[in-house]
Amino acid sequence: MVAVARPASHMRLMRMDDLDAVVAMEQASYDFPWTRGIFADCIKAGHPCWVLCIDEEVAGYGILSVGAGEAHVLNICIADAYRGRGLGRHLLGRLLDVSRWSGAQRVFLEVRPSNPLAKALYESVGFREIGRRPRYYPAKDGREDAIVMALDMAAGNIEK
């Protein structure tokens, strides 16, 4: 039997020199992408900003805000070429680990109703819809609501 080399993957904190790759991925993935300045501000503010690398190439990123016993998933993305391999779940798992390590009791996020794959991922790890934010996201035809989801970390209902 011939051994097949698997790509080496690892996660690390995002650095300023990752921003070209991160911004390119963001722009390719979203109609209304975050700007380079937003990503830079998240790093400067000390938010947990992580990149998932495959063979040293940035294949995804996730950004979290933590404080006062809560965490908020601000942004998570996997490059198109790497989607469908479970990497989004892996990256979300890291963000949930960081939330737990930071003492968060609940984790929140917003997701577009027009993104059913992301919503299904969040539900699969235990997030539940707790409300809606009307007209939260910009959309091509005006504004789109946000589904607000929460995960109770203390309940032990996290599926990985």
Side-chain angles (χ1 to χ4, degrees), residues 14-84:
M14 185 185 294
R15 304 181 299 239
M16 288 294 186
D17 63 354
D18 293 319
L19 292 185
D20 287 343
V22 167
V23 169
M25 191 181 317
E26 176 84 359
Q27 290 175 343
S29 298
Y30 301 111
D31 289 332
F32 299 91
W34 279 17
T35 64
R36 180 184 195 87
I38 293 171
F39 286 105
D41 287 347
C42 286
I43 293 171
K44 290 175 192 171
H47 290 314
C49 303
W50 288 83
V51 292
L52 170 66
C53 299
I54 306 288
D55 287 334
E56 300 307 316
E57 178 183 347
V58 175
Y61 55 86
I63 300 176
L64 193 65
S65 172
V66 292
E70 297 179 353
H72 196 120
V73 176
L74 300 177
N75 196 334
I76 188 167
C77 185
I78 299 295
D80 189 48
Y82 294 102
R83 291 183 187 148

Side-chain angles (χ1 to χ4, degrees), residues 98-151:
V98 171
S99 299
R100 187 178 307 103
W101 300 335
S102 300
Q105 298 298 307
R106 287 183 98 190
V107 181
F108 297 93
L109 59 81
E110 288 88 16
V111 63
R112 290 175 182 264
S114 62
N115 192 347
L117 291 176
K119 185 173 184 280
L121 168 63
Y122 302 140
E123 289 173 338
S124 76
V125 299
F127 279 90
R128 298 293 170 250
E129 182 174 339
I130 61 167
R132 298 246 174 172
R133 295 187 196 277
R135 303 176 42 79
Y136 183 77
Y137 289 113
K140 289 182 180 178
D141 59 351
R143 306 290 296 180
E144 181 178 10
D145 290 355
I147 298 170
V148 180
M149 302 184 83
L151 175 67

